[in-house]
Amino acid sequence: MSLKSERRGIHVDQSELLCKKGCGYYGNPAWQGFCSKCWREEYHKARQKQIQEDWELAERLQREEEEAFASSQSGPGAQSLTFSKFEEKKTNEKTRKVTTVKKFFSASSRVGSKKEIQEAKAPSPSINRQASIETDRVSKEFIEFLKTFHKTGQEIYKQTKMFLETMHYKRDLSIEEQSECTQDFYQNVAERMQTRGKVPSERVEKIMDQIEKYIMTRLYKYVFCPETTDDEKKDLAIQKRIRALHWVTPQMLCVPVNEEISEVSDMVVKAITDIIEMDSKRVPRDKLACITKCSKHIFNAIKITKNEPASADDFLPTLIYIVLKGNPPRLQSNIQYITRFCNPSRLMAGEDGYYFTNLCCAVAFIEKLDAQSLNLSQEDFDRYMSGQTSPRKQESENWSPDACLGVKQMYKNLDLLSQLNERQERILSEAKKLEKDLIEWTDGIAKEVQDIVEKYPLEIKPPNQSLAAIDSENVENDKLPPPLQPQVYAG
């Protein structure tokens, strides 16, 4: 079997990781294969189309209602008056615009929404709550960072505080709408710095990283795995799926990693640690950094094993193996959180975006993994998934030199468990047989006793009459010799 056929279920062409619209950025399965920019364009198109359809439906219903009302009027003047009122109402509705984050930062909006901003600045138990140690530290770092930018830093801090206050009143919105507001905020702040502030792109990225760190540390509690979504349900489903796939071996995935090499084994442990540590971070950029560190450890492990640079075809199966072995907590929630609230420029390009896209592909592969992907028969795959059996232990002479020591030990332990299971089943069978023999022997003895009792019944005769004297029938007492009398002799 060729290597290509062995990997037919795992291989992902690099072009498949890019945005399917052809813009050159990395796509994301959560965005239906689009990059952040293209997905937002498609989202806006779909939303505008839905709004237009709703308007057309509302106008049609209103028109039908007006026609029905006009037909009931006696004079033509009433119909004209009613229609003019409808036109006025429709014009007023069309001129009403939805307030976005961009309008908050525009000059006209600041004047028109002064009352709203004052209401937003009112004390609230949520915003004025006692900040945690981490939040307090991040806030101080953010202020110290902005001091170096003087006036620009003051403007950025003002916009950021305004955004947080606005988000406080938008917690009742869906998580998708909150994500849209956050992405709009990122885009508008970056555009303002580049156009008005003339800030270089390198510094813009650094500032955006600090902004993301500050606002997401403050919002993490409310936007990570919210109760209004099914993120927790997906977390439980993927954890259950990974536990059911515990029997998958590196050989089945064509993982080019030899864990018998101590340095490689350490790299694998570090990769698993990094992917698990992702859940402890609050900032999307920090979570991405954990994924990047994990991926670099994987590349190093492959490089040491093969003594040559790793390829993409080697990386993805190994990443799948690391995810299966580590079973990271709240995996789907972390992926959704990064997708919704990370600075989109990080997900669209660069190594962070590449590694994150591969992680999404790895999770999608695990969810759809089947017998064909592992080159197994459907019967064997079903038995392994149900836990009825596990992959057979390979003989020691059949192991390849690159076989993992942990896999060898696993097969050895599985063989011992199989032997113990067979021995236990044999002992249980013999015990049941002994119990059956004892019951049959007891029943047989009882039956034999019953047969003997029936064949030879026990008859109890009444007791005999009292015995008479031995000479009771002798009526001639005179003929009896006299009784012997003791005689005394003088000596």
Short mmCIF file of all heavy atoms in Angstrom, two decimals, residues 53 134 139 206 217 277:
data_model
loop_
_atom_site.label_atom_id
_atom_site.label_comp_id
_atom_site.label_asym_id
_atom_site.label_seq_id
_atom_site.Cartn_x
_atom_site.Cartn_y
_atom_site.Cartn_z
N GLU A 53 -35.81 41.71 1.79
CA GLU A 53 -36.96 40.81 1.65
C GLU A 53 -38.02 41.12 2.70
O GLU A 53 -39.22 41.07 2.41
CB GLU A 53 -36.49 39.36 1.77
CG GLU A 53 -35.64 38.89 0.60
CD GLU A 53 -35.15 37.47 0.78
OE1 GLU A 53 -35.36 36.90 1.88
OE2 GLU A 53 -34.53 36.92 -0.16
N GLU A 134 -5.98 39.97 37.71
CA GLU A 134 -5.52 39.97 36.32
C GLU A 134 -6.08 41.15 35.55
O GLU A 134 -5.37 41.81 34.78
CB GLU A 134 -5.93 38.66 35.64
CG GLU A 134 -5.43 38.54 34.21
CD GLU A 134 -5.81 37.22 33.57
OE1 GLU A 134 -6.45 36.39 34.24
OE2 GLU A 134 -5.45 37.03 32.40
N SER A 139 -5.23 46.35 32.95
CA SER A 139 -5.65 47.75 32.81
C SER A 139 -4.46 48.69 33.02
O SER A 139 -4.27 49.65 32.26
CB SER A 139 -6.76 48.07 33.80
OG SER A 139 -7.90 47.26 33.57
N LYS A 206 0.81 46.24 16.95
CA LYS A 206 1.14 46.19 18.38
C LYS A 206 0.04 46.84 19.22
O LYS A 206 -0.35 46.32 20.28
CB LYS A 206 2.47 46.87 18.64
CG LYS A 206 3.68 46.14 18.04
CD LYS A 206 4.97 46.87 18.38
CE LYS A 206 6.17 46.14 17.78
NZ LYS A 206 7.46 46.83 18.10
N THR A 217 -9.98 40.75 28.07
CA THR A 217 -9.83 40.39 29.47
C THR A 217 -11.03 40.86 30.27
O THR A 217 -11.49 40.18 31.20
CB THR A 217 -8.54 40.99 30.04
OG1 THR A 217 -7.42 40.53 29.28
CG2 THR A 217 -8.33 40.58 31.49
N GLU A 277 -3.10 24.00 27.74
CA GLU A 277 -2.95 25.29 28.40
C GLU A 277 -3.78 26.38 27.72
O GLU A 277 -4.09 27.41 28.32
CB GLU A 277 -1.48 25.69 28.42
CG GLU A 277 -1.18 26.94 29.24
CD GLU A 277 0.28 27.31 29.20
OE1 GLU A 277 1.05 26.62 28.50
OE2 GLU A 277 0.66 28.29 29.87
#
